[in-house]
Amino acid sequence: MSDLVTYLLSGLALAGSFALVGSGIVVVYRVTHVLNFAQGSFVVFGAFLSQTFREIGLPPGLSELAAVVVVGLIGFVVGAVAIGKPGTHPMTSLLITLGMSLVSAAVIIAVWGQNPVSPPGLTGTLTVLGATIEVQRLLVLVVAVAALASLSLLFSRTDVGRALTAAASNPRAARLVGIDTRVMGLLSFTIAGVLGGLAGVLIAPTTAVSVTSDLPFVLSALAAAVFGGLRNPWMTFVGALVLGVTGQLVAGYANGSYQTQIALIMMLVLMIARSRSFTAEEAK
């Protein structure tokens, strides 16, 4: 029983990381209709930058905050390249973000090399129903829920959030009322960078992050985001829960080497299920 609880709690923590990365994809797509394949690179940058800031002497907490801010700026740069030119088609911007992820990998290798990093995080463990779980893993889940709640409030209760939504739903009308859709798009990429960087600094203390970690994260996050229709952060969290918990149960009770394959199968199942629900809604 304790093993089951351990796997479930670990799966929840993993779901939190997927939800953070996936919500970044959702924000960008919701505002620009662009799939940001550089989102996984933001996670890697967050992990490596937090390690670097620790090494140069920044105290715990400040080093992670500095890393998140810098990754937010990186997100802004990616957005400027992807959507900076007016009239760029979303498919072209998608390919640009894919290219930027490759450029990011080259930069990471040139600056930090290919060795994984795992900076220190919160110490200590908690016992829940006889199962022991690291405090750092639970922190990922707590921060993810807080971030999703903040995004919901941003889009539903603030003028900036309404401007972001207007820029996506009707760009022409938004421009007529004075909303700069390009600025809103750049803001969405910046928010995505912050979310990705936040995921990186939270994940790295318990799961070593390397330059190759971007692809697994962006694939799982994309599956969760698709389950949410690429627009709903909370439904993205539900998709992340399915992926995270399933992956940990497979790793615990079956063979850990099948975890990625099972996650990909679950991704396809989520996409098919969600596409059918969209079709049913449209038929009504």
Side-chain angles (χ1 to χ4, degrees):
M1 181 63 184
S2 63
D3 287 343
L4 174 61
V5 176
T6 299
Y7 299 145
L8 289 176
L9 291 175
S10 298
L12 289 174
L14 188 60
S17 64
F18 291 160
L20 279 173
V21 184
S23 59
I25 294 175
V26 168
V27 170
V28 171
Y29 185 84
R30 181 169 175 165
V31 177
T32 67
H33 299 301
V34 173
L35 281 176
N36 178 24
F37 279 97
Q39 190 67 31
S41 299
F42 299 158
V43 179
V44 180
F45 271 120
F48 276 88
L49 285 168
S50 64
Q51 173 76 14
T52 298
F53 288 136
R54 282 291 187 95
E55 291 174 351
I56 65 176
L58 287 183
L62 186 57
S63 58
E64 287 79 10
L65 177 61
V68 170
V69 171
V70 173
V71 180
L73 295 175
I74 293 173
F76 177 86
V77 172
V78 171
V81 176
I83 64 171
K85 184 179 179 180
T88 304
H89 193 276
M91 183 58 68
T92 302
S93 296
L94 180 154
L95 295 175
I96 291 174
T97 64
L98 182 59
M100 291 297 287
S101 71
L102 299 176
V103 171
S104 298
V107 170
I108 291 167
I109 292 172
V111 175
W112 290 287
Q114 300 188 50
N115 293 327
V117 297
S118 185
L122 294 179
T123 58
T125 59
L126 289 176
T127 301
V128 180
L129 298 177
T132 301
I133 185 74
E134 296 167 271
V135 173
Q136 181 70 31
R137 292 185 183 274
L138 293 180
L139 179 64
V140 178
L141 179 62
V142 171
V143 172
V145 172
L148 291 174
S150 299
L151 280 179
S152 297
L153 290 174
L154 171 68
F155 280 108
S156 62
R157 300 294 179 86
T158 67
D159 291 337
V160 173
R162 296 185 186 98
L164 287 167
T165 301
S169 60
N170 195 329
R172 184 177 180 182
R175 286 192 292 268
L176 289 175
V177 297
I179 297 174
D180 191 327
T181 55
R182 180 173 175 271
V183 170
M184 293 298 103
L186 293 175
L187 178 58
S188 72
F189 271 92
T190 303
I191 294 173
V194 168
L195 292 169
L198 189 59
V201 302
L202 292 172
I203 295 165
T206 58
T207 304
V209 175
S210 70
V211 68
T212 60
S213 299
D214 59 339
L215 184 59
F217 273 110
V218 79
L219 286 177
S220 297
L222 179 59
V226 168
F227 185 79
L230 291 168
R231 292 181 179 277
N232 190 326
W234 286 114
M235 288 303 294
T236 298
F237 183 62
V238 173
L241 283 176
V242 174
L243 289 172
V245 172
T246 301
Q248 288 300 302
L249 290 176
V250 169
Y253 287 112
N255 190 325
S257 61
Y258 296 146
Q259 188 172 0
T260 301
Q261 290 86 337
I262 295 297
L264 290 174
I265 292 173
M266 290 301 301
M267 179 177 70
L268 292 174
V269 171
L270 289 176
M271 289 180 176
I272 293 171
R274 195 59 180 163
S275 65
R276 288 184 175 178
S277 68
F278 287 154
T279 302
E281 291 173 3
E282 291 175 357
K284 292 179 181 179

